[in-house]
Amino acid sequence: MLSYWLVLGVAVFTEIIWALSLKYIQLHPNPWAVAGSIALSFLNMALLSYAMKGISAGTAYAIWTGLGAVGVTIGGIMLFGDPLGSTRIFFLCLIVSGVVGLKLAS
């Protein structure tokens, strides 16, 4: 069971890198960046699919999207100068609390 959660964690990380790669492509368009993004997309889906073998689909997907959104937001702030304010922090905390609740309930 633990291995499914670890794979889901890797899938979340892959999701974050994939989404940030889309922004990177817009700033630095080149065939290698596009190819990397496509490869990450396939890897991302395969990891999520595997994690769903041992974790309910709704829980896995909610955690994947929730933590992915938080990670992409933080990555956007750190890498691309996206804005950060107290309201954004508050809502990111709400997402994280929902993810923790789902994990505890599963």
Side-chain angles (χ1 to χ4, degrees):
M1 184 68 164
L2 179 60
S3 67
Y4 295 117
W5 288 102
L6 291 174
V7 170
L8 182 59
V10 174
V12 168
F13 181 74
T14 306
E15 169 77 357
I16 294 165
I17 300 303
W18 168 76
L20 292 172
S21 78
L22 298 176
K23 176 72 172 186
Y24 180 84
I25 289 169
Q26 297 307 308
L27 299 174
H28 309 284
N30 67 72
W32 291 108
V34 172
S37 181
I38 291 168
L40 284 168
S41 180
F42 281 102
L43 177 60
N44 193 12
M45 293 297 115
L47 290 167
L48 177 61
S49 176
Y50 180 80
M52 285 183 178
K53 285 177 67 174
I55 304 169
S56 70
T59 298
Y61 186 73
I63 290 173
W64 178 72
T65 56
L67 292 182
V70 171
V72 171
T73 302
I74 293 168
I77 291 164
M78 294 172 58
L79 298 172
F80 303 117
D82 291 352
L84 174 64
S86 57
T87 305
R88 286 187 97 191
I89 292 171
F90 172 75
F91 286 110
L92 289 172
C93 289
L94 283 179
I95 293 170
V96 171
S97 66
V99 167
V100 170
L102 282 171
K103 170 62 174 116
L104 293 174
S106 65

